[in-house]
Amino acid sequence: MSTLRGHRAVSLIGAGLLVAAAVHHGAEIGAIGSSAGPLLAFALDGGIAVAVLVAGRRIARRDLSPAEEQRVARWIATGTVLAVAAFAATLAVRAFEGRPLVEPAFPMLVAAGVGSLGGAIAGYYAVRQSAEARRARDAVRAVSFVNHLLRHDLRNDLSTIRGYADLLDDPDGSGHAETVAAKASEGLERIEATSAVADAILGDADSSRVDLADTTRDVLAGVADGESAAIETDLPDAAPVAANDGVRSIVHNLVENAVEHGGPGVTVRVAVRADGDEAARLGGDDGVALVVEDDGPGLPPEVRDGSFLTDEAVGGASDGGVSGLRLVATLAEAYDGSLDTGESSLGGARFTVTLPHAPADSAGSDT
């Protein structure tokens, strides 16, 4: 069953107040035989009701999420109830004192309208403040992750470039120029991926069509060049997902985590499953799954208990692998995916990232 959108609920409250005011003052005109007073009163309480209707229209144009609209509607309902209850309490006191209650309907309508309008204004600014605070938190997270990527990944690439550049002066330095050029290209790719990571975390990037299988092959080609690890792969020809270039950081961090924590001679198995079976096994929707497992010592305690997902795990003093896993979890969530951890059939750790399939008509490249 569909839920009533918040702006429609606001408009219904405004329309209800307007109809109630029109009916009440129309009856007044018939009772007293004069229209001047009732019309003046209707201009006040009816005008407030129209203002509530306008607030509903403005909320509809503010591009708020359904949850945010519902929050504004709750503020309006609360304001209306509180204002009516406060006025009803004054009437109860007057009745208890034995004082006459003269035409309470009109001030009751004014109180309800003022409460609704005040609730609309307060609710809108509360939602906007909450959104700005959430965006500020996301910005801090993005800066922390970008700082981690730049310090960790680019430092490694630039150290390699510097080392091979020193060897170019040797008489037998043939081939080192190609290594320098390759590492420089990898550094540039990391800068582009870092920008995509920040956009994804901040919600500024539109999802496009990215081939997860091809990205995985590209990342593994760089890992196999210099790591003392046995890499096993099970990759389909193509596995398009709805994401951006930040997917490269997901693959890189999971593989790097397995290699670094698995120890010398670790076996790392990397698979991409595009048939949705892995996502279904994890209880999620149909999607594309990236599975990275190893025969190392298994899941560290901070990963097993989920503490690596806390804000403290992002700081510069935290373990690089834990920060990398936090980045993976954050990016997976930004892409409407998920990260699952468990024990590997190889005896070590197993990490599964599930990402949504890219629509067939989505923009981007599968290669």
Side-chain angles (χ1 to χ4, degrees):
M1 184 175 65
S2 61
T3 304
L4 183 66
R5 288 293 296 264
H7 71 271
R8 292 194 177 94
V10 175
S11 297
L12 284 175
I13 292 174
L17 291 172
L18 185 61
V19 169
V23 170
H24 171 69
H25 296 302
E28 277 188 324
I29 293 175
I32 66 176
S34 173
S35 61
L39 288 179
L40 183 60
F42 180 68
L44 179 57
D45 54 16
I48 296 174
V50 170
V52 176
L53 281 169
V54 172
R57 295 294 298 170
R58 287 185 175 275
I59 291 170
R61 297 193 187 105
R62 291 299 180 181
D63 196 26
L64 301 179
S65 68
E68 289 173 332
E69 287 193 11
Q70 289 295 332
R71 186 179 175 189
V72 175
R74 287 194 295 270
W75 271 88
I76 292 178
T78 301
T80 304
V81 170
L82 289 178
V84 171
F87 183 74
T90 64
L91 294 181
V93 170
R94 292 175 67 89
F96 178 78
E97 295 174 342
R99 300 166 65 182
L101 304 179
V102 181
E103 297 183 1
F106 170 58
M108 182 75 77
L109 287 171
V110 173
V114 170
S116 298
L117 189 58
I121 296 172
Y124 171 74
Y125 281 103
V127 165
R128 193 173 74 171
Q129 183 179 28
S130 177
E132 290 175 351
R134 184 171 59 251
R135 183 171 179 82
R137 290 193 300 268
D138 290 342
V140 172
R141 294 167 66 197
V143 170
S144 298
F145 284 132
V146 167
N147 175 60
H148 166 73
L149 288 175
L150 290 177
R151 287 190 299 109
H152 185 272
D153 297 342
L154 285 183
R155 180 175 56 195
N156 291 344
D157 289 336
L158 293 177
S159 296
T160 303
I161 290 173
R162 184 175 61 186
Y164 278 95
D166 292 339
L167 295 175
L168 290 177
D169 292 333
D170 294 341
D172 59 346
S174 59
H176 296 322
E178 288 80 2
T179 302
V180 170
K183 286 298 180 180
S185 296
E186 289 181 16
L188 291 173
E189 289 177 355
R190 291 190 196 280
I191 291 175
E192 293 298 326
T194 300
S195 177
V197 166
D199 288 342
I201 294 175
L202 292 172
D204 291 339
D206 294 329
S207 293
S208 60
R209 189 179 181 89
V210 180
D211 188 348
L212 180 59
D214 192 67
T215 299
T216 303
R217 275 188 286 268
D218 190 33
V219 170
L220 292 179
V223 172
D225 288 342
E227 301 290 353
S228 58
I231 307 293
E232 300 178 0
T233 61
D234 180 12
L235 306 176
D237 292 335
V241 296
N244 67 2
D245 289 340
V247 165
R248 176 179 296 274
S249 290
I250 291 180
V251 181
H252 181 269
N253 278 280
L254 286 182
V255 174
E256 183 184 62
N257 178 74
V259 172
E260 288 185 355
H261 294 273
V266 65
T267 297
V268 180
R269 182 180 296 164
V270 183
V272 173
R273 297 172 183 170
D275 55 7
D277 290 344
E278 188 68 23
R281 186 187 71 80
L282 297 173
D285 296 329
D286 182 40
V288 178
L290 168 69
V291 184
V292 179
E293 50 187 338
D294 59 66
D295 61 355
L299 295 172
E302 63 270 19
V303 174
R304 189 177 294 108
D305 63 20
S307 62
F308 76 99
L309 293 174
T310 61
D311 290 338
E312 289 78 7
V314 186
S318 63
D319 181 81
V322 171
S323 295
L325 292 178
R326 172 66 186 269
L327 172 61
V328 169
T330 301
L331 282 175
E333 182 182 358
Y335 297 139
D336 294 327
S338 62
L339 169 65
D340 179 76
T341 62
E343 302 296 331
S344 166
S345 59
L346 299 176
R350 172 189 177 98
F351 297 92
T352 303
V353 171
T354 305
L355 300 174
H357 277 292
D361 57 349
S362 58
S365 174
D366 289 341
T367 59

